[in-house]
Amino acid sequence: MGKRILITGVAGFLGSHLADKLISQNHEVVGVDSLLGGYFDNVPEGVEFHVLDCNDRAVIDVAKDIDIIFHRAATAYEGLSVFSPHMINHNNFQSTAQLLNATVTHNVDRFVYTSSMARYGTNEARLKKL
Ligand SMILES: NC(=O)c1ccc[n+]([C@@H]2O[C@H](COP(=O)([O-])OP(=O)(O)OC[C@H]3O[C@@H](n4cnc5c(N)ncnc54)[C@H](O)[C@@H]3O)[C@@H](O)[C@H]2O)c1
């Protein structure tokens, strides 16, 4: 039986492709995106789409009756945190905390987060060994 799945960042690269795939597998997809970086045209047909910032409390309501949350919303520009720490904190850290809050509030079965290899840096010690 299909699941009811929430994807944040559904107007972005990963979120929109994931939505496509899940819809083709007959899952019900609910999507959230602030359109800060993504495009409305990316949102696949069939997605119940909410233009919403993940930090908005309304996200908690959207997560009601959801089986799985894929959290893909982010401002994913390497190095930007040095110049725009407030924006990065808002869109990456705070929004993740809000989604975890929604997960706990509604006993969502699974929360899937996609980070980036970039956060581990170049790991000089390991590179020297190679
Ligand atoms: N693209 C890749 O190859 C790749 C690989 C590994 C990991 N990731 C990670 O996956 C995540 C998504 O990457 P992407 O390439 O799809 O980025 P993207 O910029 O294409 O999509 C991110 C989406 O999040 C939305 N967004 C940003 N802040 C928001 C907020 N506060 N509330 C609601 N929506 C918000 C943007 O509008 C955008 O549509 C990032 O964390 C990235 O580091 C990406």
Side-chain angles (χ1 to χ4, degrees), residues 9 11-15 32-39 52-55 72-77 90-91 95 114-116:
F13 178 69
L14 287 193
V32 164
D33 202 297
S34 64
L35 298 180
L36 175 78
Y39 301 93
L52 207 54
D53 190 301
C54 287
N55 292 285
R72 296 289 179 273
T75 298
Y77 302 109
H90 180 90
N91 293 323
S95 71
T114 309
S115 183
S116 169

Side-chain angles (χ1 to χ4, degrees), residues 4-67:
R4 187 168 162 84
I5 298 173
L6 171 61
I7 302 175
T8 68
V10 74
F13 178 69
L14 287 193
S16 59
H17 285 288
L18 178 63
D20 255 339
K21 184 72 181 175
L22 293 173
I23 285 171
S24 77
Q25 293 175 340
N26 294 320
H27 297 291
E28 205 181 323
V29 177
V30 180
V32 164
D33 202 297
S34 64
L35 298 180
L36 175 78
Y39 301 93
F40 179 75
D41 287 351
N42 282 348
V43 181
E45 212 171 299
V47 172
E48 179 193 312
F49 182 47
H50 301 262
V51 181
L52 207 54
D53 190 301
C54 287
N55 292 285
D56 195 311
R57 276 204 61 80
V59 164
I60 309 277
D61 298 330
V62 173
K64 191 169 184 290
D65 298 325
I66 292 289
D67 299 305

